[in-house]
Amino acid sequence: MNGERAPNILIGRPIERVEDPRFLRGRGQYVADVNKEGQLFAVILRSSVAHGMLRKIDGDSALKIPGVRAVITAPDLGSQVPVIPLRLHPLPQLEPFCQPVLAHDKVRYVGEAMAVVVADTAAIAEDALDHIDVEIDSLPAITDRAGAEAAAATLFEQHGTNVAIKWTAVRGDADKAFQSADYVRRETFRVQRHAALFMEPRGIVAEWDDAAQRLTFWGAAKVAFANRKILADAMGLSEQQIDMVEVDVGGGFGSRGEFYPEDFLIPFAARFLNQPIKWVEDRREHLMTGNHAREIECDVEIAATNDGRILGLRGQSWTDNGAYIRTNGSVAPRNVAQYMSGPYAIENIHLTTSSLTTNKTPAGTYRGPGRFEGDFVRERLIDLMARDLGLDSIEVRRKNLVADAQMPYPFATITPYEFASEFDSGDNHALFELCLEEFGWAEKVELQGKFIDGRYHGISIGCFIEGGAAGPSEDARIVLETDGMFSVYLGSASVGQGIETIMAQIAGDALEVPFDSIRVLHGSTAHVTAGYGSFHSRSTAMGGSAILLAAEALRTKIRAVAAATLGCSPSDVSLDADRARGPSDTSVMYAELSSEPIEAEATFRNKKTTYAYGSLAAHVAVDPGTGQVEVIQVSSTKDVGRMINPATLRGQSVGAIVQGLGGTLLEHLVYDEDGQLLTGTLADYMLPTADDFPNISTTVIELKPAPHIPLGAKGAGEGEIIPIGGVIANAVANALADLGVEPYELPLSPPRIWQLIEAARSSG
Amino acid sequence: MLIKFEVNGTPAEVDVEPRLSLADCLRDTLHLTGTHLGCEHGVCGACTVIVNGEAVRSCLMLAVQADGENVVTVEGLSNDEALTPLQAAFRKHHALQCGFCTPGMITTAHALLSEEPNADADRVREVLSGNICRCTGYVPIIEAVLAARTAYGADQ
Ligand code: FES
Ligand code: FES
């Protein structure tokens, strides 16, 4: 076996997850389950005003309540209130828009933190909130694009504009293409504000060890190393003085684990009072403080030839970023412009996105950031074009998808913070045809536009790409313990996607040892030297590749140690499931190899993005009397290059589809004109439930391994959420084609659809 | 107030503030942290426990209301040796990802199947529609609950 790789026996199998038994028995340990001896409880005083000058915060009477230990306001933080820096795209022109950890001169959204109350119990701290004297001189709230663009009103006076930045994506010569095109159509599209809304509220437990001058932070997720750096800088500590500990995490979807104000405030309070402090948000707080997402207006036009070849995309978009630009606040605006072309060969592109600030909760990434929005616009435009030109929308897509032979094929280049990327390898056409087949397009097309039992039926299909494996690197360390077990330490974080299982599968195959002899530890800063975390669908591809490298290095070390024991040369040693073998039947068990653990650490570096490709089809029925859209079936296909665990992958696919359906049909964070959030409970913010979308089938295949990733796996955590808005809107338009209804705005809620039908009827 | 009730078959006696919810009492006073809080306003179902055989949202019930009652949490539906058939079905069908909604799904499904072992897919969907899961898209949860019916005596 020496030198020869054994066939994979773990990778590619639907192995039951190692996480499950503890979760199923109620023995998971989420941050709200973490308790420290002598801990106090923090709650946050939040602004109830969307925009105003903060004149006074007086905590004196709150401090008189028995059990209240502190009311921390901006002056307690020192001469400068720390500002949360940008984790991604750190451009100097965005710095004025970054969020201070506590409001001091001004409040800019409902929910903004103004003070921290610490008490013996959470209930006492909450009671104390009512006894803090706050004076805010209200200013007019800016809640939409028109308000944001009116020069007179600004959230940041010194900056003079509410346009934080404008991004531009360019390829070819769009103006020229539009000038000579046979066909041009321009429309305005809107996607509503909604959010990731993971089920476990955010929380933190922080403890300061004054003697050792060390801080421990429980509740890290996603990007523990980046957050440790931000926290260290803000607290005047070195990174080595802070341990970020990841416990079980109840969902992330892009939003959890970014650096929020509380990520400073709770550790600060722990040091300030020199006592452990626990904070867990409630759902209302989460709805008004966790990153919002998706709100955008897009004025975009498409140019094509009369036979349906797309020549160009051109236009402008405006994202409503809320009151501040947060750590990853530029991702969605950039992606909208750069990836609006999706998997189609569009040679001429000029798309801009302006990031606007308004008096609403700041926005960040949510699964498929910018791609969900951009795909909605593009897939709608393609169908409008096909209808206008009298072409079959299936043929139009076949004609325009980037073909395998055209790859690598470039996307538009985005500036500033210039980034160019290209399709790596994939077969869009194969996935499209497979999706048509799996969905049963040929039979269902009979239903297109038909009125049956009081409802109009419509079907539609769209195509998508999912970027993954963002660089720059990921670390893994593998230790052969003295008991013969292998511990795998990873920089990748879990956000509930089953990383312990997937990484153990990869490590087991790489080490050629059984699944049960692997233990995976991840996410905490003590485990490896560096880590970049779990975002941009990167954990499996990046962390998994780091495991391959570390495993190879460890096997070399084990051979050397075994050779010394067996009295042979390392090249004569072969490694078995539980032991190292030398020549002529000599062997030594791993558990007896050494009195010291043997370990190897490796870093996998990669600058290139992987792309997973896929298609998604849907069948809807629309009740014209109520405007209700029922999703009768969704089918999807996706190529992930290499599947580690088909069961967890299917879980990601189905989960993404249902989330996308929520964002398309149900979910909406609604504000009034004063900037008050009207959807502050789960009774107002409608999430999909078990009876909404029963028929979902997903097909994931291994067609084209990622060329730049040794593991071959492409990022696969976001995929199918991306095309949903466009596909469902097109299906609704197809269903209502006889009435001439064309939706340009999400969500496709019953009142909106009903109004479109009424408007079409009265004008028709 | 001093209250006495049975939790997972064991008598409990606790001194609680009248305003303490049953969920907080279970989690903080009795350290049964398997009962999760996703909303604290009765919508998400993560906090579901079984009181006298019925699925109840423990965030909407005061601890004092449990006085004299029989309460079962996810811990009480588990044993150390092996997963129960319901739990094993969840695992097999990959009906959980982050696991946060899972205790509420298990308690709700257990209460349902104990009463209605022949519940069909529509009925399971209807009953579980009171429990929010943000990860799985529900499809595998429904599959798991349907698969577990035989263990509750469903007609073959
Ligand atoms: S926590 Fe009780 S229903 Fe959500
Ligand atoms: S498994 Fe995460 S909320 Fe259900």
Side-chain angles (χ1 to χ4, degrees):
Chain A
M1 257 197 344
N2 204 359
E4 276 286 294
R5 260 279 109 94
N8 291 314
I9 53 171
L10 298 170
I11 290 180
R13 281 179 48 204
I15 290 188
E16 293 189 345
R17 302 195 319 164
V18 292
E19 295 87 341
D20 289 353
R22 71 172 186 271
F23 291 162
L24 285 160
R25 291 179 166 122
R27 291 183 194 158
Q29 196 187 39
Y30 301 85
V31 67
D33 308 332
V34 174
N35 292 298
K36 295 290 145 192
E37 191 62 33
Q39 74 191 2
L40 302 173
F41 295 82
V43 299
I44 310 288
L45 175 71
R46 301 190 181 278
S47 177
S48 59
V49 173
H51 196 194
M53 301 307 296
L54 184 51
R55 300 295 181 205
K56 180 174 113 180
I57 303 182
D58 181 350
D60 282 356
S61 53
L63 278 169
K64 296 202 183 87
I65 297 170
V68 174
R69 302 300 187 96
V71 177
I72 298 168
T73 58
D76 297 313
L77 305 184
S79 56
Q80 285 257 310
V81 175
V83 167
I84 301 171
L86 303 163
R87 181 173 66 80
L88 301 171
H89 321 108
L91 289 164
Q93 62 264 48
L94 287 171
E95 277 165 23
F97 299 97
C98 290
Q99 180 167 9
V101 294
L102 279 180
H104 41 105
D105 51 347
K106 241 185 147 181
V107 291
R108 296 187 176 87
Y109 66 95
V110 169
E112 183 165 8
M114 301 189 296
V116 185
V117 181
V118 183
D120 292 349
T121 69
I124 295 173
E126 275 167 37
D127 290 345
L129 289 180
D130 294 339
H131 296 266
I132 299 176
D133 191 8
V134 180
E135 270 179 40
I136 298 172
D137 289 344
S138 292
L139 294 165
I142 297 165
T143 58
D144 56 16
R145 183 186 148 205
E149 287 184 332
T154 59
L155 274 74
F156 303 84
E157 294 81 1
Q158 69 281 18
H159 204 73
T161 171
N162 297 312
V163 183
I165 196 166
K166 187 170 175 179
W167 310 97
T168 306
V170 176
R171 182 163 184 234
D173 187 342
D175 286 345
K176 197 161 147 225
F178 273 80
Q179 240 161 34
S180 56
D182 300 337
Y183 169 86
V184 171
R185 180 153 179 178
R186 175 177 174 178
E187 294 294 346
T188 298
F189 301 88
R190 288 187 189 82
V191 177
Q192 85 285 11
R193 182 170 272 256
H194 55 287
L197 257 289
F198 39 78
M199 285 319 295
E200 183 212 358
R202 294 180 299 138
I204 296 165
V205 176
E207 183 168 28
W208 174 250
D209 180 339
D210 204 44
Q213 294 282 297
R214 286 187 69 82
L215 180 81
T216 309
F217 179 112
W218 288 268
K222 186 178 181 181
V223 287
F225 287 87
N227 285 10
R228 180 172 69 164
K229 168 100 178 60
I230 296 173
L231 182 57
D233 289 349
M235 289 187 67
L237 298 170
S238 72
E239 288 170 70
Q240 286 64 40
Q241 286 173 282
I242 301 177
D243 278 327
M244 307 287 285
V245 183
E246 186 188 278
V247 292
D248 286 323
V249 171
F253 316 119
S255 165
R256 187 198 300 277
E258 290 295 334
F259 200 101
Y260 287 96
E262 297 84 1
D263 291 79
F264 170 84
L265 295 171
I266 305 308
F268 177 86
R271 185 175 65 177
F272 191 72
L273 294 168
N274 196 18
Q275 255 177 293
I277 302 215
K278 179 170 182 169
W279 165 78
V280 180
E281 68 182 354
D282 65 27
R283 187 50 68 179
R284 181 166 167 272
E285 270 184 298
H286 180 73
L287 281 157
M288 59 188 193
T289 62
N291 283 341
H292 288 183
R294 305 268 206 255
E295 187 172 11
I296 195 165
E297 182 175 327
C298 306
D299 173 3
V300 178
E301 53 189 331
I302 187 169
T305 59
N306 276 331
D307 63 353
R309 158 131 345 254
I310 304 171
L311 299 173
L313 283 175
R314 181 169 71 172
Q316 314 176 61
S317 300
W318 299 265
T319 55
D320 184 331
N321 273 61
Y324 298 99
I325 306 294
R326 280 187 174 166
T327 49
N328 59 15
S330 296
V331 174
R334 284 168 61 89
N335 283 356
V336 167
Q338 188 169 27
Y339 297 112
M340 191 179 279
S341 53
Y344 299 95
I346 303 179
E347 306 265 312
N348 302 290
I349 292 168
H350 192 278
L351 292 164
T352 65
T353 311
S354 300
S355 298
L356 306 180
T357 51
T358 61
N359 293 114
K360 296 191 279 196
T361 298
T365 59
Y366 168 34
R367 205 175 203 175
R371 299 170 190 263
F372 174 92
E373 302 91 304
D375 274 37
F376 170 60
V377 172
R378 180 197 68 241
E379 292 294 328
R380 285 293 290 127
L381 282 170
I382 291 176
D383 263 30
L384 289 165
M385 180 256 281
R387 206 186 309 281
D388 287 345
L389 295 174
L391 301 170
D392 176 14
S393 67
I394 302 294
E395 278 310 319
V396 166
R397 286 187 170 80
R398 280 190 187 120
K399 186 184 287 254
N400 287 288
L401 283 168
V402 174
D404 194 13
Q406 286 172 283
M407 295 188 197
Y409 184 90
F411 292 97
T413 298
I414 188 130
T415 54
Y417 213 80
E418 182 168 329
F419 180 63
S421 184
E422 57 191 28
F423 294 74
D424 46 0
S425 82
D427 193 337
N428 284 312
H429 287 90
L431 291 154
F432 185 68
E433 301 304 329
L434 183 62
C435 188
L436 289 169
E437 198 179 303
E438 298 279 325
F439 177 70
W441 186 276
E443 305 87 68
K444 291 208 178 66
V445 77
E446 303 293 326
L447 297 169
Q448 191 74 291
K450 293 264 161 61
F451 189 67
I452 303 164
D453 295 336
R455 296 190 304 177
Y456 289 99
H457 288 251
I459 61 171
S460 165
I461 183 167
C463 308
F464 65 94
I465 45 163
E466 169 184 2
S473 67
E474 201 60 75
D475 282 15
R477 184 162 64 94
I478 309 183
V479 182
L480 170 55
E481 308 286 0
T482 51
D483 62 358
M485 292 280 288
F486 292 87
S487 302
V488 177
Y489 294 92
L490 274 177
S492 306
S494 168
V495 279
Q497 73 278 59
I499 198 171
E500 290 168 40
T501 309
I502 292 163
M503 296 302 173
Q505 289 180 257
I506 296 170
D509 278 354
L511 293 162
E512 297 177 25
V513 300
F515 188 74
D516 294 338
S517 59
I518 310 260
R519 186 165 42 213
V520 175
L521 299 111
H522 57 82
S524 299
T525 52
H527 293 155
V528 288
T529 319
Y532 288 88
S534 202
F535 62 95
H536 200 250
S537 296
R538 66 191 298 286
S539 299
T540 306
M542 296 292 293
S545 294
I547 288 178
L548 294 189
L549 298 178
E552 203 44 61
L554 182 62
R555 284 167 63 88
T556 305
K557 283 194 181 174
I558 293 173
R559 278 199 195 93
V561 175
T565 309
L566 300 169
C568 62
S569 102
S571 58
D572 292 332
V573 176
S574 66
L575 301 180
D576 233 349
D578 58 354
R579 72 194 73 197
R581 291 186 191 279
S584 51
D585 268 354
T586 55
S587 76
V588 54
M589 302 292 287
Y590 292 145
E592 278 139 26
L593 199 52
S594 162
S595 57
E596 298 286 314
I598 304 172
E599 67 170 77
E601 182 160 356
T603 304
F604 175 67
R605 292 177 213 284
N606 170 48
K607 285 217 171 64
K608 293 212 171 172
T609 305
T610 64
Y611 290 96
Y613 304 82
S615 292
L616 183 139
H619 173 193
V620 305
V622 186
D623 181 339
T626 61
Q628 176 79 32
V629 176
E630 189 197 336
V631 177
I632 293 179
Q633 192 196 331
V634 174
S635 303
S636 67
T637 55
K638 182 164 75 171
D639 172 18
V640 297
R642 184 129 179 248
M643 261 186 267
I644 311 302
N645 187 323
T648 62
L649 257 182
R650 174 185 178 234
Q652 293 287 321
S653 298
V654 176
I657 288 172
V658 172
Q659 280 188 336
L661 291 169
T664 301
L665 295 158
L666 305 167
E667 301 176 33
H668 194 176
L669 290 159
V670 182
Y671 281 84
D672 71 8
E673 67 226 20
D674 296 325
Q676 293 293 335
L677 179 64
L678 302 180
T679 47
T681 73
L682 294 187
D684 310 295
Y685 184 86
M686 306 290 287
L687 290 164
T689 57
D691 51 356
D692 286 330
F693 309 115
N695 297 317
I696 291 163
S697 66
T698 60
T699 305
V700 180
I701 58 170
E702 297 178 317
L703 200 58
K704 300 266 178 180
H708 316 293
I709 303 288
L711 198 55
K714 297 173 168 185
E718 310 179 67
E720 294 87 343
I721 200 171
I722 293 169
I724 298 258
V727 171
I728 299 293
N730 282 337
V732 168
N734 289 339
L736 302 175
D738 280 354
L739 304 173
V741 167
E742 296 286 1
Y744 297 106
E745 196 168 337
L746 300 181
L748 303 171
S749 58
R752 170 160 294 132
I753 299 300
W754 183 82
Q755 279 164 7
L756 287 174
I757 292 170
E758 290 302 301
R761 279 184 171 150
S762 59
S763 74
Chain B
M1 279 178 76
L2 194 68
I3 57 167
K4 292 184 194 174
F5 60 117
E6 199 176 294
V7 185
N8 300 332
T10 312
E13 195 175 314
V14 284
D15 192 11
V16 297
E17 272 192 72
R19 69 174 176 177
L20 191 76
S21 71
L22 176 59
D24 286 344
C25 175
L26 291 169
R27 290 180 48 79
D28 300 337
T29 316
L30 298 169
H31 306 295
L32 292 167
T33 54
T35 299
H36 292 162
L37 290 171
C39 71
E40 296 173 272
H41 51 245
V43 181
C44 76
C47 66
T48 305
V49 300
I50 300 171
V51 179
N52 302 335
E54 278 192 48
V56 165
R57 311 205 149 195
S58 63
C59 73
L60 290 186
M61 185 169 166
L62 294 171
V64 294
Q65 291 174 293
D67 193 22
E69 313 293 347
N70 179 306
V71 178
V72 176
T73 69
V74 67
E75 289 92 341
L77 298 179
S78 309
N79 61 67
D80 283 337
E81 294 80 56
L83 294 178
T84 65
L86 181 60
Q87 289 168 332
F90 266 64
R91 189 178 191 203
K92 173 155 182 265
H93 290 268
H94 190 41
L96 64 158
Q97 290 181 28
C98 78
F100 195 75
C101 70
T102 309
M105 293 289 179
I106 293 281
T107 47
T108 305
H110 177 80
L112 169 66
L113 295 184
S114 300
E115 285 295 310
E116 301 173 40
N118 291 309
D120 64 7
D122 283 348
R123 176 68 180 146
V124 171
R125 283 193 174 271
E126 181 192 348
V127 171
L128 287 184
S129 71
N131 291 55
I132 296 174
C133 174
R134 191 57 159 166
C135 301
T136 63
Y138 304 103
V139 173
I141 295 179
I142 306 302
E143 290 168 358
V145 174
L146 292 174
R149 288 179 303 182
T150 48
Y152 288 83
D155 307 335
Q156 297 288 325

